[in-house]
Each structure stands twice: as structure tokens, then as C-alpha cells.
Amino acid sequence: MSAELPFPVAVEIKGVTKVATFSKLPEALDAVRASLARLPLDDDQAAYLAELFAPASVDRIAHQLVEVGAVRAIAFIGIEPHPIYLRPALA
């Protein structure tokens, strides 16, 4: 599947960022990675999330957005969960 999506992508890290909309998926993933890099995550979690949202994951994430309608993960700051959402932006 091509990483070009026929819709913009909304991204949010609950309790950390507001919802932001990007016209291209790679831009959305860049924003997620930049936000995660500023969080005090433990090394294992930082590595897991970096791999999950890596530039090489664009095709996988595009496929999931088309087929499932969302991509979800959780970043833990200490014991506090912060859900990460990527989904098609509403027109």
C-alpha cells in the first residue's frame, strides 16, 4: 500500500498535545516522534515507541488507518498513561 492517503491525519497524545491535523502521514509521524522525544520516557518505552512510529513504519500505519480506521498506542510517564491516537481527520 502506498503511504499517500486520500485523507488528512489527526494526531493526539492525550494530556500532552492537542489534536493536530496533517495533510500527509509522514508529517504526522514526524510530529509524534518530536513530541515523544520531549517526554520523560524510560529507555525501553522510548525505543518501542520510536520503532512503532519510525519513518519505515509509514506503509504499515497507512494500511492500519485505511483498514482499521485508527492507530493507538500508550506512552507512560511514570505510571500515568497517555494514549496516542492517529486517525483520519474529519472533513
Side-chain angles (χ1 to χ4, degrees), residues 43-59:
D43 291 342
D44 289 338
Q45 186 175 188
Y48 167 75
L49 292 170
E51 184 176 331
L52 186 66
F53 295 110
S57 68
V58 170
D59 288 338

Side-chain angles (χ1 to χ4, degrees), residues 10 12 16 39 54 58 60 64 68 71 78 87:
E12 178 182 18
V16 176
L39 297 178
V58 170
R60 176 185 51 78
Q64 189 169 345
V68 179
V71 173
R87 55 187 161 252

Side-chain angles (χ1 to χ4, degrees), residues 3-79:
E4 278 300 313
L5 296 173
F7 49 78
V9 178
V11 175
E12 178 182 18
I13 302 175
K14 288 278 191 183
V16 176
T17 67
K18 294 182 180 184
V19 177
T21 301
F22 299 89
S23 60
K24 299 192 181 292
L25 180 57
E27 295 168 354
L29 294 178
D30 288 345
V32 169
R33 286 191 305 274
S35 294
L36 291 171
R38 292 189 296 269
L39 297 178
L41 304 173
D42 68 35
D43 291 342
D44 289 338
Q45 186 175 188
Y48 167 75
L49 292 170
E51 184 176 331
L52 186 66
F53 295 110
S57 68
V58 170
D59 288 338
R60 176 185 51 78
I61 290 175
H63 177 78
Q64 189 169 345
L65 286 169
V66 169
E67 295 297 320
V68 179
V71 173
R72 297 174 191 92
I74 297 178
F76 284 91
I77 300 175
I79 61 170

